[in-house]
Amino acid sequence: MKAKQYDELEWSGSVSFGTTSTAVRKVQEWLLYYGFRVAVDGVFGEQTRNALALFSPTFNKSVITSEQFAELSAPLSRASAIPTMSRPQSFGVAVRYIANQHLANRPIELGGKNSGPWVRHYMRGRQGPRMAWCAGFVSSVWAQAARWAGVSPPEHTASCDWMVRVARNEGRFLPENATISTLDDVLIFLRRRSVSDWDHAGFAFDFNEEGFTSIEGNTNLAGSREGVAVCRRSRTYTGIDFVRLLRT
């Protein structure tokens, strides 16, 4: 039997005041997203109820319903939606559009290092200090764009090294200093730590002689591989290899 695909937006039912559950913790994470400094402890107490009242005066303050959770988690819903417009002209156009769609909804870690609803969405339910999620972000956006563009989605991975290994086997790997074709409007960049190890990934576009623009997850404005958000950055080519989205 095929395992059920993880869905971070799934809500199992109403949650009453005074209860302790994973569902309450998810609500508290979203309250953090909106700037309410609540403890992410899974306890539906006064602090959480007061924050819900400030978030929306129309909310039922003693029961969290599926409708309320949908309103709280709307940014992830918008980011992960397949566009209703016609199919894009190319797969690269689709990837760029979807990456920007996620960026616009401010994905960020919530409730702990490499944790929260955005991380779990990109990592298929996994989270925690060791769950660096940059490749998970790339895989998720790539798959979402593939569904929109009508092409076969790639296998999801959270490993930069695995991404390189598959790309090499399929002839999609471009080492540093390789010629980037004008047809490569979007590539996946991978930061190389050694000849056999890559430790950070993201999307690359708008190439020029000095570098390129990126949209990448688990980073910050300084370009860390262990940041807290999805960011747009400018990068140089030093220490960077690339992967084409599809076989040429």
Side-chain angles (χ1 to χ4, degrees), residues 71-101:
E71 187 172 343
L72 286 162
S73 59
L76 177 55
S77 181
R78 290 192 298 267
S80 58
I82 302 298
T84 56
M85 65 187 76
S86 59
R87 284 182 178 175
Q89 294 178 338
S90 70
F91 188 37
V93 169
V95 169
R96 183 191 291 240
Y97 186 95
I98 296 298
N100 275 288
Q101 182 170 282

Side-chain angles (χ1 to χ4, degrees), residues 11 27 30-31 34 36 44 48-74:
W11 185 255
V27 167
W30 280 111
L31 288 169
Y34 293 105
F36 297 100
F44 189 3
T48 300
R49 182 159 67 177
N50 291 341
L52 286 169
L54 291 170
F55 175 77
S56 177
T58 64
F59 271 14
N60 182 333
K61 309 308 182 297
S62 297
V63 178
I64 304 170
T65 65
S66 58
E67 291 78 14
Q68 291 173 340
F69 179 71
E71 187 172 343
L72 286 162
S73 59

